[in-house]
Amino acid sequence: MAAHLKKRVYEEFTKVVQQQEEITAKKLRLTKPSKSAALHIDLCKATSPADALQYLLQFARKPVEAESVEGVVRILLEHYYKENDASVRLKIASLLGLLSKTSGFSPDCIMDDAINILQNEKSHQVLAQLLDTLLAIGTKLPENQAIQMRLVDVACKHLTDTSHGVRNKCLQLLGNLGSLEKSGTKDTEGLATRDVQKIIGDYFSDQDPRVRTAAIKAMLQLHERGLKLQQTIYNQACKLLSDDYEQVRSAAVQLIWVVSQLYPESIVPIPSSNEEIRLVDDAFGKICHMVSDGSWVVRVQAAKLLGSMEQVSSHFLEQTLDKKLMSDLRRKRTAHERAKELYSSGEFSSGRKWGDDAPKEEIDTGAVNLIESGACGAFVHGLEDEMYEVRIAAVEALCMLAQSSPSFAEKCLDFLVDMFNDEIEEVRLQSIHTMRKISNNITLREDQLDTVLAVLEDSSRDIREALHELLCCTNVSTKEGIHLALVELLKNLTKYPTDRDSIWKCLKFLGSRHPTLVLPLVPELLSTHPFFDTAEPDMDDPAYIAVLVLIFNAAKTCPTMPALFSDHTFRHYAYLRDSLSHLVPALRLPGRKLVSSAVSPNIMPHEDPSQQFLQQSLERVYSLQHLDPQGTQELLEFTIRDLQRLGELQSELAGVADFSATYLQCQLLLIKALQEKLWNVAAPLYLKQSDLASAAAKQIMEETYKMEFMYSGVENKQVVIIHHMRLQAKALQLIVTARTTRGVDPLFGMCEKFLQEVDFFQRCFIADLPHLQDSFVDKLLDLMPRLMTSKPAEVVKILQTMLRQSTFLHLPLPEQIHKASATIIEPAGESDNPLRFTSGLVVALDVDATLEHVQDPQSTVKIQVLYPDGQAQMIHPKPADFRNPGPGRHRLITQVYLSHTAWTEPCQVEVRLLLAYNSNARIPKSPWIEGGEVSPQVETSIEGTIPFSKPVKVYIMPKPARR
Amino acid sequence: MPEIRVTPLGAGQDVGRSCILVSIAGKNVMLDCGMHMGFNDDRRFPDFSYITQNGRLTDFLDCVIISHFHLDHCGALPYFSEMVGYDGPIYMTPPTQAICPILLEDYRKIAVDKKGEANFFTSQMIKDCMKKVVAVHLHQTVQVDDELEIKAYYAGHVLGAAMFQIKVGSESVVYTGDYNMTPDRHLGAAWIDRCRPNLLITESTYATTIRDSKRCRERDFLKKVHETVERGGKVLIPVFALGRAQELCILLETFWERMNLKAPIYFSTGLTEKANHYYKLFITWTNQKIRKTFVQRNMFEFKHIKAFDRAFADNPGPMVVFATPGMLHAGQSLQIFRKWAGNEKNMVIMPGYCVQGTVGHKILSGQRKLEMEGRQVLEVKMQVEYMSFSAHADAKGIMQLIGQAEPEHVLLVHGEAKKMEFLKQKIEQEFRVNCYMPANGETVTLPTSPSIPVGISLGLLKREMAQGLLPDAKKPRLLQGTLIMKDSNFRLVSSEQALKELGLAEHQLRFTCRVHLHDARKEQETVMRVYSHLKSILKDHCVQHLPDGSVTVESILIQAAAHSEDPGTKVLLVSWTYQDEELGSYLTSLLKKGLPQAPS
């Protein structure tokens, strides 16, 4: 045995080596013993099936390299033949499947064996597993027609098996590998082509529901692989819709949908009548019927699929919203119809009388069809469903259908509006979004608007904001509607002042969309009087600003409107045009030459001057290389100030301005540090002053991290410069330390580290080095060989001179750059009521914040809580807590758990948001890193956090626990 | 002939006093035991003497099932069990079991204390009656005895309402009680699996109505309340303590929460508080939303709804008050109504139907001046609104349920005759099943054909499976075996096993048949012709020509001999065993037709 074993092992080794020589010149890895050998030994050791199973399980935990897969497979197969226990065989079979999925391994060599063992297998479970393995092999070799045909053949043979599991797998195999093309048969002589669809179709009537499901799934799989399904299966699938089992029905619905998309225009007869309809209409009717199925899984499925059936005829589509009401056999109008009628008759909101909804005409009893085979009322049912999953699916489907059909959009409006009052917030939100998506197709009636606006009082911010966005793009039909909307929005504003910006934005669009409707409202809104002057409203009142935003935006396209303004309105216009330029458009004000001349020329090319200004100031700084230190410093200070101001004023340029200002700030700090007196004096004397220099070094480091990670849109060009700046800061740090510490020992380490970093910099940015001529690093690299050999003291000296001589690098500005920022909306802070809780227990604090221009916030944004005792706690919010309301914007809504030991007084804790960074992420991967054993860990993985929101104070009070 | 007999004692072509007797496979079951609200004499309870004149009911009934706690479904229960006398099991769901005695007690109080009736059941009787109750959980199958089993399905309608499936062997009846196919704010929709009962007994309150979407109703209701409250007015909502009241509470509570409203909502105390407690407990019986969120907060623990005190009615400022009873005929709701009626800012919302003669009915029909007791005239200036919240399935819902359950027959109860007529016609037309609508005391008899299960031995089954090709569901297959009837069960076994079990020796039974064939040729040739003929026809059988001059088809032997008298006629001897009877008789008939004319 031992001899045999040894031989075996050697065989394995030789095989491995040979293969490698053939393929590539990769390194030989003979350090580890062969997998297969180890496995073989293990399996031989196993005395009982349970043992063997354990070994196999252990083996399965580790990956196997592609080159040793075949050996392992041979070993496994050998054991398979010997094994009597079905469970071990099962595990081996599953391992075979796993192994054949290994990338780089071609499993055709094991196929014969797999088919062989399949023939002698008795256990149904193992059979099923083996078929699964074959499926894995088959999918691995999609090109090989012969193998596919053979596998299909095997599957067909086992289709008659008594076990449902085996039949399931066979059907799966057929679905994944079976093909219709006859062309493939030529090279596989002897094997007759089989009509896979026919074979699968026969199993639609299998006795086992699981097999029926598998058959339908296999058919769908065929479709997914691009085979065209025959129309004949439509009738078969329709029969399955009344199956007893939900999974069969669910799959059948899918199949019907697929067929209806394939043959939308073919004609099918309606049973029990002579009429014929298009197949897509018939399928639509059938799927609609499934919306009132007994199982909610099927209902969700059906409702979802309805949305994508756009070819359906419009009268079928409109039926889905129609539910013929009756009461005591008399026709009754729906509330929607009544509302519409009331509206068109001019009398609004009645419904005070009992019997207002009294049924009118008699219905012919014969004509009433209580269960329509057609699409009648499918959406009415779907939207009223018990499960919110179904309701959401129905709303989504409505949305998709309405987008493709304007007339349907108009009709479904009533129903969507009704969904605004759903009990589940998700559904409400979804229906508001849906409405927004179809809003260009619709105009809201006044009563509908009324219902929509009622939702403005919702306590959920998400809902309100969604609604504001909806109102932004809604068409309103009357001036009363506009007035109503304004009134409700103002009400909303007083109730939830935090919505201010969103409401202003909403009114901006409302105004610019409906100038003619706003015009007659202007005198009322501005409360002007033909004869009397009225009091001037308070300019800081958000409600007044809201009204003005509406009016000014309407006035943009309505030249007659400014005539109605009073004097102070013009003044307010000028003010708002400056302070809220994104909300107030430029107006042509004919009578007011003074204002218009001051404003209008500035408006059109407004972007350019500031851009120019920015460029100019930066140019100025960069060009001044050899000014006296004093002058340089002053210029830098001025420029920094200018840029910061510019950033505040001009939000579009804020990113660039801040970014450049930070860079200049770094440079300024560096220059200042180098101007320090300490350099001129003997080291030991100036211990204290050195604080400033080391602080500067530290600050530069911080700023560079901010530059690197807080801005989105930073390109490689900038990263080099930033890293360069950081390198300079490190050099400064090194020099300062050298000057202030006695003894050489600590310096050794620091020097080495620094040189490593230089080396790392060189390797990372080798491509960019040509751009860095004459810079610090350029010079440093020139002297590198010398530095490597010199003593620390010398290194420091060289560095010092180089730092002083190095030039100021030009920072190229990126195209698009935005600074990440965050605002904590909640907790608002400044609350006088402390949050009381028992010490030792936790209290949940709701945190609500908006994040702008944060990339991948799920992994980078953290929440920090600072307790008064200096204890800091870092919280990682769940990925699900982030929402993405728009591009570049994120919203964090989460709960933070606070806890502390008992305090005697209530005290404030600080909550703020941090941006975590990991320098590994940004550095471009160069090839050597992949194979690198000596990656300098020091630099690559610096992790840290940058605070990027204003801290908010929360008043809390942990009470001592009552005993 | 086995049959199912159904006799409504109440609720036959009528609403109220639900009580239906069902006999199925020798078992007698009583479904519901309710009282009639329209009567105050003997007619208010079902006529139990129909079941038996003398002797205890226990001997005649196997069990009683109560579908839900409304009095028209359980009001007569203490009378039935304690005064008439019944000791068998009474089945109901746990919420019904909990709430039912409260309502019965309330009913008793009104009848005895207020109206002063004698000979009514006592509190003790209610307690004794409830001791006989057995709780059934949703989808739980309860064995009443060895053969009779019942199973409960969710019915919506009110908390704890259930539909029951009654099953004996393979025969079954489903009784729906009252149910609702559209979910509301606190309950889900009724659901049943495809149980294919022999008979479905369904309510048909709204047989001729198809209702509008509930969302419009809810929205209207909320809008009206909200507007009034914003104006500073007071809203009075007269309700009955259980059922709709909770739905409206949830509706208002969530609305208040959503809209951040501050105006107080009050609920008149007493009965309701106890009932609310049970709503909190039986959270699994409510709808998806409440079930999913109760971990954070139980929806029935109202934040905005507080208990009402008489003094609150005079408080200034807006408020909403739920007060009992629902028709404004007495009690707290009427008191509050009198206080608030004079102010046009206020509003009263009637959420349900009002009986004629009540104040509710009067104001709904537009009367603005009401005469109160003591010749006072009350001028109603407040707004009056009507809002229908009802939890019965409409015609579409009933059809939907029938579609779900796929019964063989349908029987309508709990509805008006005229409306039933329409629904009956529709059901028969669209499902092609028989539909019945018996009046009270009328018996419907349905013949059934119960299937009789026969056990088959595995060996036999496997042998048959191995023989045939695919089992095809559409084609019946012939299977040979021996049916053994022993100890009232049936078994199908192979004949060998049957012989062994019964200790009998096997006898060979062989049929032989002579077929005369006109053929002038020699015997050998005739045999060859027969052989080739059979070979050409019986392609999937094994036809052999043996050297001794005979032909075998499977195990059937065919020999030819010359006729002793007429040499032109050959006699074919066909012989087969009993097992091959089918093939043998086929062969003879084939041979009798003669051989095809051979090309000479």
Side-chain angles (χ1 to χ4, degrees), chain B residues 37-324:
Chain B
M37 280 170 270
F39 303 111
N40 274 327
D41 47 16
D42 280 349
R43 285 176 296 172
R44 73 178 155 206
F45 292 144
D47 179 15
F48 296 114
S49 62
Y50 177 91
I51 305 171
T52 171
Q53 294 291 346
N54 38 24
R56 290 184 68 75
L57 288 168
T58 321
D59 305 333
F60 294 88
L61 287 175
D62 288 279
C63 73
V64 174
I65 295 169
I66 303 295
S67 65
H68 62 280
F69 61 64
H70 278 158
L71 285 177
D72 60 333
H73 290 260
C74 70
L77 203 56
Y79 169 78
F80 163 74
S81 74
E82 304 310 310
M83 294 170 81
V84 182
Y86 169 76
D87 296 323
I90 301 168
Y91 291 96
M92 49 177 86
T93 61
T96 313
Q97 189 188 8
I99 298 172
C100 192
I102 310 178
L103 286 175
L104 286 172
E105 184 59 37
D106 194 54
Y107 173 47
R108 191 196 66 80
K109 262 191 207 152
I110 290 174
V112 177
D113 301 352
K114 292 243 168 88
K115 294 182 185 156
E117 281 186 51
N119 197 20
F120 207 76
F121 54 77
T122 61
S123 296
Q124 189 54 44
M125 284 179 178
I126 297 175
K127 279 178 198 153
D128 289 341
C129 166
M130 293 314 289
K131 279 178 193 153
K132 295 171 185 167
V133 170
V134 184
V136 187
H137 296 271
L138 276 188
H139 301 179
Q140 178 196 11
T141 306
V142 176
Q143 290 284 348
V144 177
D145 55 34
D146 288 345
E147 288 159 8
L148 177 64
E149 61 182 45
I150 59 173
K151 183 176 174 186
Y153 291 97
Y154 192 74
H157 190 63
V158 287
L159 190 78
M163 307 191 274
F164 281 91
Q165 185 191 29
I166 301 116
K167 196 173 175 189
V168 182
S170 66
E171 292 167 89
S172 62
V173 172
V174 169
Y175 173 60
T176 64
D178 290 356
Y179 64 100
N180 189 7
M181 291 300 280
T182 43
D184 61 31
R185 287 284 168 150
H186 73 310
L187 297 172
W191 179 86
I192 196 163
D193 57 18
R194 199 165 289 179
C195 51
R196 300 198 171 91
N198 295 87
L199 175 67
L200 177 80
I201 304 174
T202 173
E203 65 135 330
S204 51
T205 323
Y206 285 143
T208 55
T209 300
I210 300 176
R211 270 184 309 182
D212 199 356
S213 144
K214 58 162 185 162
R215 293 185 186 283
C216 302
R217 279 197 309 266
E218 285 176 4
R219 200 190 58 208
D220 276 5
F221 173 76
L222 292 174
K223 204 173 128 190
K224 280 170 187 165
V225 173
H226 189 189
E227 277 171 3
T228 312
V229 167
E230 267 197 348
R231 271 203 308 268
K234 298 177 170 64
V235 182
L236 172 67
I237 308 171
V239 286
F240 287 105
L242 283 166
R244 285 321 95 202
Q246 274 71 23
E247 185 189 350
L248 294 179
C249 280
I250 291 248
L251 198 59
L252 275 191
E253 166 86 10
T254 43
F255 188 72
W256 248 239
E257 185 103 12
R258 255 181 68 198
M259 298 303 184
N260 244 333
L261 299 179
K262 293 285 177 281
I265 309 176
Y266 297 112
F267 205 127
S268 63
T269 42
L271 187 58
T272 318
E273 232 165 323
K274 232 188 260 172
N276 258 354
H277 176 65
Y278 289 116
Y279 272 84
K280 266 182 240 171
L281 270 181
F282 293 108
I283 216 79
T284 47
W285 289 78
T286 54
N287 72 6
Q288 186 195 22
K289 158 94 178 170
I290 300 175
R291 266 183 289 142
K292 288 217 164 141
T293 53
F294 93 98
V295 182
Q296 283 104 41
R297 193 180 137 220
N298 194 326
M299 290 272 275
F300 291 103
E301 272 166 25
F302 300 125
K303 249 189 216 166
H304 302 273
I305 302 176
K306 291 157 220 137
F308 184 69
D309 189 280
R310 215 162 272 221
F312 292 169
D314 297 323
N315 285 0
M319 65 170 86
V320 181
V321 175
F322 288 94
T324 50

Side-chain angles (χ1 to χ4, degrees), chain A residues 803-928:
Chain A
L803 260 185
R804 280 160 174 272
Q805 286 167 2
S806 66
T807 51
F808 182 26
L809 274 178
H810 190 289
L811 178 71
L813 286 180
E815 299 280 315
Q816 279 288 325
I817 189 161
H818 295 287
K819 188 179 181 178
S821 63
T823 350
I824 299 179
I825 303 164
E826 215 172 310
E830 315 301 327
S831 167
D832 289 335
N833 292 341
L835 207 56
R836 291 176 193 279
F837 61 100
T838 308
S839 68
L841 300 181
V842 289
V843 65
L845 180 70
D846 287 310
V847 173
D848 181 353
T850 49
L851 315 172
E852 303 254 358
H853 305 297
V854 182
Q855 288 163 325
D856 189 20
Q858 282 88 341
S859 58
T860 53
V861 175
K862 317 275 178 234
I863 301 169
Q864 192 186 38
V865 180
L866 269 175
Y867 292 95
D869 57 357
Q871 189 189 338
Q873 187 192 357
M874 183 105 89
I875 293 119
H876 305 248
K878 288 190 295 256
D881 290 338
F882 294 92
R883 319 218 177 139
N884 192 355
R889 274 193 300 149
H890 287 274
R891 184 118 182 265
L892 171 64
I893 297 169
T894 187
Q895 281 197 323
V896 167
Y897 299 113
L898 306 176
S899 183
H900 212 276
T901 47
W903 297 348
T904 52
E905 299 279 303
C907 217
Q908 281 169 331
V909 292
E910 268 184 25
V911 177
R912 68 165 107 187
L913 294 182
L914 300 180
L915 195 66
Y917 59 85
N918 182 350
S919 53
N920 243 345
R922 189 55 77 75
I923 288 165
K925 279 248 163 69
S926 42
W928 61 267

Side-chain angles (χ1 to χ4, degrees), chain B residues 454-455 481-485 490-493 498 502:
Chain B
V454 176
T482 313
L483 189 69
I484 301 180
M485 290 166 62
F490 298 84
R491 280 186 309 136
L492 190 66
V493 296
L502 301 174

Side-chain angles (χ1 to χ4, degrees), chain A residues 160 162 203 242-244 292 294 323-329 334-336 351-352 354 365-366 368-372 383-389 391 418-424 428 450-451 454-455 457-459 491 495-496, chain B residues 182-183 185 188-189 191 194 196 208-216 219 223-224 226 230 257-261 287-289 291-292 361 364-365 383-386 394-396 399-400 404 419 422-423 426 430-431 465 470 474:
Chain A
T160 50
T162 49
Y203 281 81
S242 51
D243 199 277
D244 282 6
S292 48
K323 189 179 166 189
K324 295 267 179 300
L325 299 191
M326 61 175 191
S327 168
D328 287 353
L329 287 180
T334 62
H336 291 149
R352 301 263 158 76
W354 185 33
T365 45
V368 182
N369 194 6
L370 286 179
I371 37 165
E372 298 80 358
L383 293 176
E384 266 187 41
D385 200 275
E386 181 186 0
M387 312 298 283
Y388 83 94
E389 290 91 340
R391 296 200 298 268
D418 278 350
M419 294 308 284
F420 285 15
N421 282 321
D422 195 272
E423 51 194 348
I424 304 241
R428 295 201 295 270
D450 200 34
T451 323
V455 187
E457 289 191 42
D458 202 297
S459 57
K491 216 194 263 177
K495 202 162 177 181
Y496 306 98
Chain B
T182 43
R185 287 284 168 150
W191 179 86
R194 199 165 289 179
R196 300 198 171 91
T208 55
T209 300
I210 300 176
R211 270 184 309 182
D212 199 356
S213 144
K214 58 162 185 162
R215 293 185 186 283
C216 302
R219 200 190 58 208
K223 204 173 128 190
K224 280 170 187 165
H226 189 189
E230 267 197 348
E257 185 103 12
R258 255 181 68 198
M259 298 303 184
N260 244 333
L261 299 179
N287 72 6
Q288 186 195 22
K289 158 94 178 170
R291 266 183 289 142
K292 288 217 164 141
H361 187 85
L364 278 180
S365 44
Q383 297 169 53
V384 179
E385 300 286 352
Y386 173 73
D394 61 358
K396 263 199 152 172
M399 298 302 262
Q400 207 181 332
Q404 270 183 23
K419 298 181 179 176
F422 163 78
L423 190 65
K426 285 289 151 200
E430 281 173 29
F431 291 104
M465 291 265 282
L470 279 173
K474 285 169 205 146

Side-chain angles (χ1 to χ4, degrees), chain A residues 933-944:
Chain A
E933 290 86 36
V934 275
S935 62
Q937 292 296 322
V938 258
E939 240 291 343
T940 48
S941 61
I942 283 190
E943 290 182 23

